[in-house]
């Protein structure tokens, strides 16, 4: 079975047509892509939007749909629209229908599933005494965590994809799911063993990030047999090498050997990577261990407050030397006007430790320093007032021996800018479930033109 | 004495989920990888010192033989993208690793003259 991975994060940047068309020439049995990411921060999930232009999402979906319908193979998308929230699934299903109608594609079946978890359900489970362990050092889920959460998605495994394929879906739009499940599902359904199916999914989910030289958004072809899995770069200048494929096993994950999905754990610690041909690497040796009880990962996000941003630059070496006093002056003025609590105010000191904060081992200023003032407060008006006070008061900071007495900082502009609200990841937890489908309601619908040609998409 | 950036092929950092940042240092060949591992220039203690964190904040430290790589993962002070987070992808946190000094005493793998 051959699976074509077209884009490591559909919608974040457009796929590259050349390697995509070379991939299609290999006659894949499945065309698939992951569209999700938690890297873009908590805002898309908390505020329910996508981070990239609709046109980019539509363009990738259009190219994949036309190719999949022409080849007559399934098209599978997971974690629709960054967050995998219900509105993103609905958006992608709508786009599929629009594209099908526009191109007058013969009627086909669209399957989709949702991943949002109602907070009432989580609250009820807490009341029942269910323990939902925290991941990555977090405490178990509490009512307080839910109080600061606006939206929760559960991370699906292969199960809703397999169910929808069994129901005859030609196109699947998935809510939030494990990246590897998007590719593992059709392989497992076709009878290949779970271990190699999940491992192939893991290698394909970021498309050309498993190839070298570095170049994103190029298609990659995965092949699974009963003996092995192979990944092949589709861009003529890229290769899947032992080095690039094995190092991809580390990418974005804390541990390179283990991957947890709903239903089990993939163990890659005894894998053998071999160069199969110039552009293809062959991998064997993954092991999959089912887990009991089933644990599903929950991701939750909440709006923290309105956010405004101010900018100031400093060039006077004396002022730079006394940067702490300048910031202390500004903060004290804000405290005088707004009190000490109920808001957050951060001075990012670019040129000192703006990028790394407390992790910076070399917090030594250069000849100029840039300050970004970030204020978060419950209301827009409060955030703007706090940000404006903090930014403006940098200008009036009082330093005893300063030569320049007409302003302590340079303003890029004399205003503060409204940003999107600040949000935070509030849930990163596990929830026990009886049935791997119980949090993921599945649906089918139709798109394209019916055989009689009289109806459009429904 | 040489620096890590002179011997590693890739030095990168990136979010690993919302609460962690993971660091990958990938070497071009087995000999270089082993030389750096044996030099003890990159250990949990050295990383904790470099990043000014307690060793308990290092949640993983792995010598990953298949990729000729050393990998470690730090716990963030707060989740990625929270107000005040200056690097929401965690993508620029690797810079201090570039200048980590690798002692040149362990040249017994020996096939690479230093310059």
């Amino acid at each position: 079975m051959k699976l074509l991975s077209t884009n490591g994060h559909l919608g974040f940047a457009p796929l590259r047509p050349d390697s995509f068309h070379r991939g299609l020439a290999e006659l894949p049995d499945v065309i698939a892509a992951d569209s999700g990411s938690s890297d873009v921060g908590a805002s898309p999930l908390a505020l329910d939007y996508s981070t990239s232009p609709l046109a980019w999402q539509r363009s990738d979906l259009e190219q994949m749909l036309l190719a999949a319908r022409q080849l007559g193979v399934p098209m599978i998308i997971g974690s629709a629209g960054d967050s995998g929230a219900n509105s993103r699934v609905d958006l992608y299903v709508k786009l599929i229908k629009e594209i099908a109608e526009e191109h007058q594609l013969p009627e086909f079946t669209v399957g989709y599933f949702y991943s949002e978890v109602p907070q009432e359900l989580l609250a009820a489970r807490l009341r029942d005494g269910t323990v939902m362990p925290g991941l990555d050092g977090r405490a178990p889920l509490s009512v307080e965590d839910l109080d600061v959460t606006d939206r929760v998605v559960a991370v699906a495994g292969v199960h809703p994809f397999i169910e929808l394929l069994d129901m005859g879906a030609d196109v699947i739009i998935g809510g939030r799911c494990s990246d590897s499940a998007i590719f593992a599902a059709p392989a497992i359904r076709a009878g290949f063993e779970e271990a190699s199916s999940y491992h192939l999914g893991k290698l394909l989910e970021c498309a050309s990030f498993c190839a070298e030289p570095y170049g994103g958004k190029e298609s990659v072809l995965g092949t699974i047999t009963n003996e092995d899995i192979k990944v092949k770069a589709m861009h003529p200048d890229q290769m899947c090498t032992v080095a690039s494929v094995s190092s991809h096993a580390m990418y974005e994950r804390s541990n390179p050997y283990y991957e947890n999905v709903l239903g089990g754990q993939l163990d890659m610690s005894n894998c053998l990577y071999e160069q199969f041909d110039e552009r293809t690497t062959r991998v064997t040796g993954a092991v999959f261990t089912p887990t009991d009880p089933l644990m599903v990962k929950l991701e939750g996000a909440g709006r923290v407050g309105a956010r405004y941003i101010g900018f100031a630059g400093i060039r006077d070496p004396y002022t730079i030397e006394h940067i702490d006093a300048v910031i202390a002056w500004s903060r004290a003025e804000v405290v005088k006007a707004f009190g000490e609590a109920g808001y957050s105010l951060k001075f990012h000191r670019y040129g000192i430790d703006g990028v790394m904060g407390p992790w910076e081992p070399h917090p030594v200023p250069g000849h100029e320093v840039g300050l970004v003032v970030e204020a978060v407060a419950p209301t827009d008006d409060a955030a703007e007032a706090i940000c404006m006070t903090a930014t403006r008061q940098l200008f009036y900071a009082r330093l005893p021996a300063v030569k320049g007495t007409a302003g302590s900082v340079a303003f890029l502009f004399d205003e503060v800018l409204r940003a999107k609200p600040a949000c935070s990841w509030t849930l990163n937890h596990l929830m026990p479930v009886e049935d791997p489908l119980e949090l993921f309601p599945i649906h089918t619908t139709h798109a394209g033109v019916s055989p009689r040609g009289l109806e459009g998409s429904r | 004495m040489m620096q890590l950036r002179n011997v590693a092929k890739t030095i990168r950092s990136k979010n690993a989920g919302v609460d962690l940042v993971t660091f990958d240092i990938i070497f071009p060949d087995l000999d270089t990888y082993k030389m750096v591992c044996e030099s003890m220039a990159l250990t949990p203690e050295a990383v904790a010192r470099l990043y000014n964190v307690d060793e308990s904040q290092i949640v993983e430290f792995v010598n990953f033989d298949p990729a000729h790589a050393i990998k470690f993962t730090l716990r963030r002070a707060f989740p990625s993208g929270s107000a005040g987070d200056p690097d929401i992808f965690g993508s620029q946190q690797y810079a201090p690793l570039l200048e980590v000094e690798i002692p040149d005493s362990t040249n017994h793998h020996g096939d690479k003259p230093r310059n």
Side-chain angles (χ1 to χ4, degrees):
Chain A
M1 179 180 229
K2 294 181 190 174
L3 301 95
L4 186 67
S5 173
T6 63
N7 192 330
H9 178 182
L10 185 150
F12 198 68
L15 67 78
R16 301 280 183 163
D18 182 43
S19 60
F20 175 59
H21 288 293
R22 287 170 194 266
L24 296 177
E26 302 266 355
L27 300 178
D29 301 292
V30 176
I31 301 175
D34 173 32
S35 181
S37 177
S38 56
D39 284 338
V40 290
S43 302
L45 180 58
L47 307 177
D48 212 14
Y49 69 96
S50 296
T51 53
S52 305
L54 182 67
W56 295 357
Q57 296 173 329
R58 192 180 203 283
S59 161
D60 271 27
L61 292 174
E62 181 174 26
Q63 293 181 72
M64 291 175 71
L65 179 64
L66 295 181
R69 297 319 304 142
Q70 192 177 11
L71 292 175
V73 300
M75 163 180 167
I76 306 180
I77 306 293
S79 301
D82 303 329
S83 66
N86 294 0
S87 73
R88 305 298 94 190
V89 173
D90 290 340
L91 171 69
Y92 276 23
V93 171
K94 178 170 150 269
L95 288 171
I96 292 289
K97 288 187 174 189
E98 284 175 10
I99 295 161
E101 170 130 20
E102 186 182 315
H103 292 275
Q104 294 286 293
L105 297 178
E107 190 176 58
F108 60 92
T109 302
V110 182
Y112 57 101
F113 69 86
Y114 293 124
S115 296
E116 279 188 31
V117 183
Q119 293 191 57
E120 309 84 78
L121 173 71
L122 296 174
R125 296 293 294 270
L126 284 178
R127 281 196 299 276
D128 292 348
T130 304
V131 176
M132 293 183 243
L135 289 166
D136 301 327
R138 291 190 182 216
L141 188 68
S142 67
V143 177
E144 290 73 30
D145 293 327
L146 294 179
D147 287 344
V148 294
T149 299
D150 290 315
R151 190 164 287 98
V152 179
V153 286
V155 181
V158 292
H159 318 87
F161 291 105
I162 291 176
E163 194 79 5
L164 286 165
L165 288 168
D166 285 345
M167 291 164 74
D170 300 300
V171 172
I172 298 178
I173 301 298
R176 189 65 171 140
C177 63
S178 286
D179 301 348
S180 59
I182 301 162
F183 304 91
I188 290 170
R189 182 171 178 270
F192 296 102
E193 62 175 33
E194 288 176 309
S196 41
S197 300
Y198 281 111
H199 196 189
L200 183 60
K202 175 65 209 138
L203 294 174
L204 291 178
E205 50 103 352
C206 275
S208 51
F209 273 13
C210 71
E212 64 180 338
Y214 176 82
K217 305 296 165 189
E218 303 289 357
S219 290
V220 169
L221 187 77
T223 305
I224 184 166
T225 69
N226 288 324
E227 283 75 45
D228 61 16
I229 55 178
K230 299 188 200 79
V231 283
K232 180 180 185 184
M234 289 293 103
H235 189 283
D237 297 335
Q238 283 189 321
M239 296 177 293
C240 287
T241 66
V242 170
S244 71
V245 172
S246 61
S247 60
H248 183 67
M250 306 189 288
Y251 184 66
E252 295 186 318
R253 0 209 340 273
S254 59
N255 182 295
Y257 295 122
Y258 304 101
E259 167 96 348
N260 292 303
V261 294
L262 175 52
Q265 183 183 61
L266 179 67
D267 177 348
M268 297 171 277
S269 54
N270 287 309
C271 281
L272 180 65
Y273 299 82
E274 300 163 278
Q275 199 69 45
F276 180 75
D277 63 32
E278 195 191 12
R279 283 160 59 203
T280 309
T281 284
R282 175 176 186 266
V283 189
T284 51
V287 175
F288 186 78
T289 312
T291 45
D292 182 34
L294 293 173
M295 297 296 265
V296 62
K297 185 183 173 192
L298 303 175
E299 296 175 346
R303 180 187 184 278
V304 175
R307 169 153 61 179
Y308 273 76
I309 302 287
F311 300 90
I314 307 177
R315 182 63 178 79
D316 180 335
Y318 175 82
T319 310
I320 290 173
E321 198 185 323
H322 294 87
I323 185 81
D324 290 341
V326 172
I327 290 171
W329 168 270
S330 165
R331 191 180 285 282
E333 292 297 307
V334 169
V335 169
K336 260 191 237 167
F338 302 96
E340 294 200 0
Y343 63 91
S344 88
L345 177 63
K346 169 92 185 172
F347 296 85
H348 297 273
R349 311 188 302 175
Y350 286 94
I352 303 176
D353 57 3
V355 175
M356 298 189 62
W359 286 358
E360 175 58 66
H362 189 66
V364 179
H367 72 281
E368 67 177 23
V369 168
L371 292 177
V372 173
V373 181
E374 181 183 12
V376 176
T379 66
D380 238 47
D381 286 351
E384 183 177 20
I386 291 165
C387 192
M388 178 56 92
T389 302
T391 307
R392 191 67 59 71
Q393 286 297 329
L394 292 169
F395 191 83
Y396 296 115
R398 296 179 186 181
L399 296 176
V402 73
K403 302 285 184 193
T405 54
S408 302
V409 299
F411 285 136
L412 182 61
F413 31 65
D414 188 17
E415 61 179 324
V416 292
L417 303 185
R418 181 167 182 252
K420 280 205 167 73
C423 297
S424 188
W425 290 108
T426 53
L427 265 69
N428 183 19
H429 288 80
L430 292 174
M431 173 182 178
V433 289
E434 300 279 322
D435 176 345
L437 283 168
E438 74 181 57
L439 296 177
F440 307 101
I442 58 179
H443 305 273
T444 60
T445 181
H446 294 277
V449 181
S450 75
R452 291 182 303 280
L454 298 172
E455 281 179 85
S457 64
R458 289 180 292 209
Chain B
M1 210 68 148
M2 57 198 156
Q3 295 186 332
L4 196 58
R5 61 173 150 197
N6 304 127
V7 294
K9 182 170 84 171
T10 300
I11 303 176
R12 67 187 180 194
S13 61
K14 183 79 198 290
N15 289 345
V18 303
D19 292 319
L20 308 173
V21 178
T22 194
F23 296 74
D24 302 334
I25 303 116
I26 307 174
F27 299 95
D29 53 62
L30 184 65
D31 284 346
T32 314
Y33 165 65
K34 281 194 166 164
M35 184 267 289
V36 175
C37 288
E38 287 166 17
S39 77
M40 301 301 281
L42 274 180
T43 60
E45 303 77 45
V47 165
R49 220 177 310 117
L50 185 63
Y51 283 87
N52 192 29
V53 296
D54 193 86
E55 254 186 77
S56 64
Q57 297 304 101
I58 305 174
V59 297
E60 297 273 0
F61 197 104
V62 184
N63 289 352
F64 184 44
D65 297 347
H68 309 146
I70 298 173
K71 179 176 182 66
F72 63 88
T73 302
L74 300 184
R75 183 169 290 131
R76 284 172 167 272
F78 39 76
S80 67
S82 299
D85 176 16
D87 189 358
I88 72 169
F89 285 62
S91 51
Q92 278 292 302
Q93 302 304 309
Y94 64 86
L97 294 168
L98 296 167
E99 292 173 12
V100 166
E101 301 281 355
I102 310 295
D104 51 8
S105 57
T106 50
N107 204 30
H108 51 260
H109 292 289
D111 45 0
K112 280 212 172 82
R114 285 172 295 109
N115 38 23

